[in-house]
Amino acid sequence: MLLASCHSSLRCNLGAPRWIKPTHGEVSASKLPEEKRAKFEMVRSFTKGEKGFEQVRRGIQEGDVVAFRMTGREKRHGILHGDVRTVSYMLLKYAHLAIAVRDPDDPSQLRLFTSQGARGPNTRDGLDELKHHTIDIFRLNQWQQLDLVRLREFVATVKRKANKVFAYNFVGMVGIWSNCLEPHSPSEIGDDYLCSTAVAAALHYAGLDLDAVRCCEALNMISPWRVVTSTGRMISPAERAAQSRLVASAR
């Protein structure tokens, strides 16, 4: 069961749970000056049913991360109507995560890349879907350094590779095991993700190394909140190229 979501040749060194031992990334982050750290900043919010969605929609740009939440009223309504999804929002501040990306098949369209239980990794929804939800929108303070071409490449690759039976990482959903979170080349991109790990892996492929998101850690749930509150560092093109060569030589 533990290895059910480990479908690639990605190098994997199982580390102790972070509540026992900090990860190398977290230790390294403490040495990086605050002003040099990459971090997410909330740039917009929208509450379901309120006015002003079009203004919010127009302000979304490629690479923005969308965190889904529920107001107290929405939670009460969900419970009264037996919506099981409400339980997740009662337990977590954010229960779903997506990232805005140009559709690899139609770059004129800005869509939401995420992963869902019944769909797996996908870009089925456009930005108009957001008006039906309560959301906070985050933007990386160093967003200019994201490689958006590689972001689209990740999305196209994971959609093509998606496991036809288990495209959603149900093992990672309950915090048992997550893998393929730090890809440098297409061969390292996994075939199953949950929403938060899909976004985190996409960002890593595009050049963002998040301190609080590490591969192959047992008993660590990677929630949407962990992703948007993590700091990190930008990976230079030269480092990405070196990592890709290392992966190729190891195959």
Side-chain angles (χ1 to χ4, degrees):
M1 182 70 169
L2 189 62
L3 300 179
S5 63
C6 195
H7 301 304
S8 81
S9 59
L10 180 67
R11 58 198 177 280
C12 188
N13 299 310
L14 181 62
R18 63 178 9 92
W19 39 268
I20 295 177
K21 179 182 178 181
T23 69
H24 173 73
E26 290 169 326
V27 173
S28 299
S30 65
K31 300 177 182 178
L32 191 67
E34 179 69 27
E35 65 273 11
K36 293 185 178 180
R37 295 185 190 179
K39 58 184 178 181
F40 292 101
E41 299 172 339
M42 189 188 301
V43 292
R44 286 174 179 78
S45 291
F46 175 74
T47 300
K48 178 181 176 181
E50 291 188 349
K51 297 180 179 180
F53 173 74
E54 283 305 317
Q55 182 178 357
V56 171
R57 185 190 188 283
R58 287 194 298 270
I60 298 174
Q61 66 183 37
E62 189 170 22
D64 284 355
V65 174
V66 183
F68 293 68
R69 59 183 173 84
M70 279 188 177
T71 63
R73 180 178 180 181
E74 287 178 274
K75 293 175 186 177
R76 291 190 295 272
H77 182 273
I79 291 296
L80 289 174
H81 289 80
D83 187 346
V84 295
R85 295 174 299 175
T86 306
V87 176
S88 297
Y89 288 92
M90 295 182 71
L91 298 174
L92 303 169
K93 178 176 176 62
Y94 299 119
H96 190 55
L97 202 66
I99 186 170
V101 63
R102 294 286 173 188
D103 189 337
D105 299 321
D106 183 3
S108 67
Q109 296 294 317
L110 197 60
R111 306 193 68 79
L112 298 172
F113 171 66
T114 187
S115 185
Q116 296 151 304
R119 295 178 171 182
N122 70 88
T123 53
R124 294 188 186 182
D125 293 326
L127 299 188
D128 285 340
E129 171 65 22
L130 297 177
K131 66 184 175 184
H132 304 298
H133 303 273
T134 296
I135 56 173
D136 291 332
I137 301 170
F138 293 86
R139 182 171 298 161
L140 193 67
N141 65 336
Q142 299 178 30
W143 62 269
Q144 301 95 330
Q145 297 183 50
L146 280 177
D147 188 331
L148 299 180
V149 173
R150 281 178 62 88
L151 177 64
R152 297 168 206 162
E153 181 184 346
F154 177 93
V155 171
T157 302
V158 76
K159 287 172 62 178
R160 185 178 67 251
K161 294 176 67 172
N163 189 298
K164 303 305 180 184
V165 180
F166 298 108
Y168 189 80
N169 185 3
F170 291 98
V171 178
M173 181 178 68
V174 293
I176 296 176
W177 179 261
S178 290
N179 195 19
C180 307
L181 305 186
E182 299 172 308
H184 293 279
S185 66
S187 66
E188 293 188 310
I189 296 174
D191 60 8
D192 67 345
Y193 289 98
L194 60 144
C195 65
S196 51
T197 59
V199 171
L203 286 167
H204 191 279
Y205 198 78
L208 173 63
D209 185 23
L210 290 171
D211 305 325
V213 178
R214 294 289 136 183
C215 237
C216 309
E217 290 182 318
L219 307 178
N220 282 308
M221 180 180 177
I222 300 174
S223 65
W225 174 255
R226 173 175 288 182
V227 174
V228 298
T229 57
S230 176
T231 59
R233 68 180 184 89
M234 303 308 299
I235 308 170
S236 69
E239 183 180 349
R240 289 201 302 268
Q243 287 286 354
S244 295
R245 289 194 296 271
L246 182 64
V247 172
S249 65
R251 296 184 67 184

